[in-house]
Amino acid sequence: MMQDRHLFEYAVIRVVPRVEREEFLNVGVILYCRQTRFLQMRYTIDEHRLQVFSSHLQIGELRALLCAIEQVCLGTALGGPIARLDAASRFRWLTATRSTVVQMSKVHPGFSVDPAATLERLHGELVL
């Protein structure tokens, strides 16, 4: 019997230390699946790699920004007013185009039986 596949959307979380140069390193993935009410992210901060890429990057500030994104995904009070929105609105807000040090790629679609496993796979392929 074929398992149900669910449409999901994801974006890659990028660190862009000098926005004007448009150079970036992938640090995470955010994945949203409406049918399973799934909105989570995974990130990895490779301090050595980031410092080689940009010696002026503040790792503590980056960690705080990524934690804030995670709290918005989870819908916790620590995520502020945006975290009180429904999951679809939170995902759209998080993936909106920005000209900041932490940016999201364009949103990409796919199908998955298990969104959590798909998030882990994408994190491994696109970040690690």
Side-chain angles (χ1 to χ4, degrees), residues 9-10 30-32 39 87-95 107:
E9 299 172 86
Y10 76 95
I30 179 172
L31 188 140
Y32 169 63
L39 175 58
S89 297
R90 294 194 315 264
F91 180 73
R92 300 288 171 241
W93 186 85
L94 288 168
T95 58
V107 174

Side-chain angles (χ1 to χ4, degrees), residues 5-128:
R5 295 184 332 146
H6 304 287
L7 177 66
F8 71 88
E9 299 172 86
Y10 76 95
V12 179
I13 304 168
R14 301 170 168 169
V15 173
V16 187
R18 293 181 58 192
V19 176
E20 68 278 6
R21 292 184 61 153
E22 296 184 4
E23 299 173 331
F24 60 85
L25 285 175
N26 295 342
V27 296
V29 178
I30 179 172
L31 188 140
Y32 169 63
C33 179
R34 183 183 59 81
Q35 290 107 327
T36 61
R37 297 181 179 174
F38 184 91
L39 175 58
Q40 291 185 22
M41 56 103 58
R42 291 288 177 270
Y43 66 91
T44 298
I45 297 175
D46 184 333
E47 291 186 32
H48 176 72
R49 187 172 181 210
L50 286 166
Q51 287 299 320
V52 168
F53 186 63
S54 176
S55 60
H56 71 279
L57 187 66
Q58 299 296 316
I59 300 296
E61 289 179 23
L62 173 61
R63 191 177 312 281
L65 287 169
L66 293 170
C67 285
I69 291 169
E70 186 172 38
Q71 295 307 311
V72 171
C73 284
L74 296 172
T76 69
L78 295 174
I82 300 300
R84 291 193 294 263
L85 299 173
D86 62 274
S89 297
R90 294 194 315 264
F91 180 73
R92 300 288 171 241
W93 186 85
L94 288 168
T95 58
T97 302
R98 291 179 176 78
S99 182
T100 60
V101 172
V102 176
Q103 299 180 11
M104 302 291 174
S105 71
K106 292 181 180 182
V107 174
H108 307 282
F111 287 98
S112 174
V113 173
D114 181 353
T118 300
L119 176 60
E120 294 300 328
R121 180 182 57 78
L122 289 169
H123 178 256
E125 291 175 3
L126 302 171
V127 177
L128 299 179

